[in-house]
Amino acid sequence: MSLVVVGSMAFDAIETPFGKSDKIIGGAGTFIAWCASNFVPVKQISVVGGDFPQEELDLLTARNVVLEGVQIKKDEKTFFWSGRYHMDMNSRDTLVTELNVLADFQPVVPESYQDCEFLMLGNLAPSVQLSVINQLKNKPKLVVLDTMNFWMDIALDDLKAVLKHVDVLMVNDSEARQLSGDYSLVRAAQKIHELGPKFVIIKKGEHGALLFHEDKVFAAPALPLEEVFDPTGAGDTFAGGFIAHIAKTKDISFENMKTAIIVGSAMASFAVEKFGTQRLREISVSDIHDRLQQFVQLATFDISLV
Amino acid sequence: MSLVVVGSMAFDAIETPFGKSDKIIGGAGTFIAWCASNFVPVKQISVVGGDFPQEELDLLTARNVVLEGVQIKKDEKTFFWSGRYHMDMNSRDTLVTELNVLADFQPVVPESYQDCEFLMLGNLAPSVQLSVINQLKNKPKLVVLDTMNFWMDIALDDLKAVLKHVDVLMVNDSEARQLSGDYSLVRAAQKIHELGPKFVIIKKGEHGALLFHEDKVFAAPALPLEEVFDPTGAGDTFAGGFIAHIAKTKDISFENMKTAIIVGSAMASFAVEKFGTQRLREISVSDIHDRLQQFVQLATFDISLV
């Protein structure tokens, strides 16, 4: 049984108030794979062009990321995105989007991926996400979907179609409001429940994340950082940590999802410390455990004396 | 030994997207007293006009709020504020400010208040806050100060003068940035430490609160509510719950301040459920304990399985 990840593998060029990157490795699928492979093997579904470095693929293979589902289109170019972050690091302008191989991406699920128990659908066109679900012969134990306002703007019907098959939806607060049409996040989560996902995770960046399920709610903090160097991929890394903990423990209870959100938050707190996937490539198991302990210190309190 | 509270007692008229209040009882000191008196007796310092209802004063007296330090200026009018909240409930426009008795408020600390062990300086002119500190013959065990951007704009030197005597400063995130000149809240807290307060609490409304002390940080969540009916007084109520728990336990450790912030957050979550102080007048000890348990459910997680 396995974790299958679907997501873009890309080149990014990033400008922040603190600096500017060259054309570096990015993409939702890349961040998810670098993050999740700290915890469990990953079976990756994606597409790249002939310009994508073989050594990057080899590095992932060495980390137990299976690439049989990654199509390499020799004569085409890899997806490229360039953006500039504002001072608050929450808002950004897209400078360049070259879809390239993503423009007509038809994902193919290899036979060896049919043991998929946990499915992480990274941010991509909802029709691509749905195609992967439809190719699986057995329903996974848990399907998690990450998406963004862009797809709500141009492919809302497709998004609603795929949401019917999704257990856990991840969006940010403004996207939850857009999708539900409700300003109150509590009511927004209730309305999203009705679209399919029984669990709704609302990402709030520096303010942490909320998990809603039935009448229950969990609030995870974000680690206050002196500097957020590059927020690119933070949400993807969060998703990777979340699904990896679930896949490792094979426990889809609300209580274990709380832990999974803390794992995701801890991993995301690393991702923003350097440009792109750099920090995720450096950290050790011991760094991760230290960071998790920081979250315990950050969030633990005792009301027995009240 | 006692808790002394300094703060305005006022009339408010409030408009929100959900409704409009008559001229109702408000003021930072009022919210703090209604909240804190659930936990400990309060010795109040304030000023009202002849138009302030005697029954309101009697209700506070019945709750163990000592009013010897509340001046009643028979021939003058009570401070009046009117405001209108925007849809997000975080921003508001001030419609009317009539200072009235507050214009030349000279606080007088009664002899019976000289046993002050814990001092809560609610949001008021920094010169008034400093005057109270200067009248105390013995330094309190803990001095907590709440302030706002208004005083940073018009009385920054006064504010910096009083901060030298303050142990715990409470401000919101934009105020922390304004006071420190630093966008990063981690560095903002470090810079505010240098102004005097060893503990800095940054209030983030629906996103909870942060406590900074030396190299330690604590993040408290806010309870996600279906509807915030009226945010007026939420920060004052938070302050009241915080200082009341400290005064009750007489423990000024970082660990106990974490608990105090949860108590403050729980009390604030009641305050916003109805206009003005209405909800604070209704709640019982059992309501408070149930709400604290909700915070435990909201924030507790277990990383032992990671």
Side-chain angles (χ1 to χ4, degrees), chain B residues 30-215:
Chain B
T30 308
F31 279 97
I32 297 170
W34 272 98
C35 173
S37 56
N38 282 285
F39 304 90
V40 285
V42 172
K43 293 182 175 173
Q44 188 88 342
I45 295 176
S46 191
V47 61
V48 297
D51 55 348
F52 199 81
Q54 182 61 42
E55 67 196 61
E56 285 295 329
L57 300 173
D58 295 343
L59 282 168
L60 288 170
T61 302
R63 287 175 71 90
N64 274 324
V65 179
V66 176
L67 301 179
E68 193 184 339
V70 177
Q71 301 167 34
I72 302 176
K73 304 212 166 175
K74 290 283 177 212
D75 300 330
E76 297 181 41
K77 286 173 73 182
T78 298
F79 171 52
F80 173 62
W81 176 82
S82 175
R84 183 190 291 131
Y85 287 89
H86 302 166
M87 190 59 203
D88 68 3
M89 285 291 196
N90 272 323
S91 51
R92 66 186 186 189
D93 298 324
T94 290
L95 303 176
V96 181
T97 305
E98 295 173 7
L99 284 179
N100 299 328
V101 290
L102 267 194
D104 59 353
F105 177 34
Q106 305 287 339
V108 178
V109 178
E111 187 56 33
S112 68
Y113 286 27
Q114 287 294 346
D115 64 352
C116 173
E117 197 173 12
F118 300 97
L119 177 61
M120 178 69 234
L121 299 165
N123 174 41
L124 258 183
S127 58
V128 172
Q129 295 173 318
L130 184 58
S131 163
V132 171
I133 292 176
N134 286 338
Q135 290 176 59
L136 290 172
K137 292 167 192 163
N138 302 308
K139 188 175 159 41
K141 197 164 171 179
L142 197 75
V143 177
V144 181
L145 183 142
D146 188 25
T147 190
M148 65 186 295
N149 54 349
F150 180 72
W151 306 113
M152 297 173 194
D153 293 339
I154 70 159
L156 185 59
D157 288 344
D158 287 355
L159 180 59
K160 286 188 173 172
V162 68
L163 284 180
K164 291 193 170 73
H165 305 273
V166 166
D167 301 299
V168 183
L169 174 66
M170 294 181 172
V171 284
N172 72 26
D173 39 4
S174 68
E175 290 157 353
R177 289 174 172 136
Q178 179 174 350
L179 184 59
S180 66
D182 206 311
Y183 191 84
S184 155
L185 294 181
V186 175
R187 278 203 307 269
Q190 288 163 355
K191 290 186 178 173
I192 293 170
H193 286 328
E194 290 164 17
L195 297 175
K198 292 195 168 56
F199 299 86
V200 177
I201 295 174
I202 298 181
K203 300 174 288 183
K204 303 193 296 172
E206 63 165 326
H207 302 303
L210 298 171
L211 166 65
F212 291 94
H213 174 59
E214 294 169 352
D215 61 343

Side-chain angles (χ1 to χ4, degrees), chain A residues 215-231:
Chain A
D215 61 344
K216 294 197 280 285
V217 56
F218 171 62
L223 193 69
L225 296 169
E226 198 159 323
E227 215 66 272
V228 169
F229 195 77
D230 173 18

Side-chain angles (χ1 to χ4, degrees), chain A residues 18 39 87-90 173 177 183-187 190 204 206-207 210 212 217-227 245 248-249 251 254-256 258-259 262-263 288-289 292-306, chain B residues 18 39 87-90 173 177 183-187 190 204 206-207 210 212 217-227 245 248-249 251 254-256 258-259 262-263 288-289 292-306:
Chain A
F18 307 107
F39 304 89
M87 190 58 203
D88 67 2
M89 285 292 197
N90 271 323
D173 39 3
R177 287 171 173 139
Y183 191 84
S184 156
L185 294 180
V186 175
R187 278 203 307 270
Q190 289 163 356
K204 302 193 296 171
E206 64 164 325
H207 302 303
L210 298 170
F212 291 94
V217 56
F218 171 62
L223 193 69
L225 296 169
E226 198 159 323
E227 215 66 272
H245 175 74
K248 182 183 168 193
T249 53
D251 174 355
F254 182 79
E255 282 306 311
N256 196 47
K258 289 180 168 187
T259 308
I262 296 296
V263 173
I288 295 171
H289 279 254
L292 287 168
Q293 283 301 334
Q294 278 186 274
F295 272 80
V296 172
Q297 292 304 313
L298 177 65
T300 303
F301 58 87
D302 175 11
I303 64 158
S304 63
L305 290 178
V306 179
Chain B
F18 307 108
F39 304 90
M87 190 59 203
D88 68 3
M89 285 291 196
N90 272 323
D173 39 4
R177 289 174 172 136
Y183 191 84
S184 155
L185 294 181
V186 175
R187 278 203 307 269
Q190 288 163 355
K204 303 193 296 172
E206 63 165 326
H207 302 303
L210 298 171
F212 291 94
V217 54
F218 171 63
L223 192 69
L225 296 169
E226 198 159 322
E227 214 65 272
H245 176 74
K248 182 182 167 193
T249 54
D251 174 355
F254 182 78
E255 284 305 312
N256 197 48
K258 289 179 168 188
T259 308
I262 297 297
V263 173
I288 295 171
H289 279 255
L292 287 167
Q293 283 301 331
Q294 277 186 273
F295 271 80
V296 173
Q297 292 303 312
L298 177 65
T300 304
F301 57 87
D302 174 11
I303 64 159
S304 64
L305 290 178
V306 178

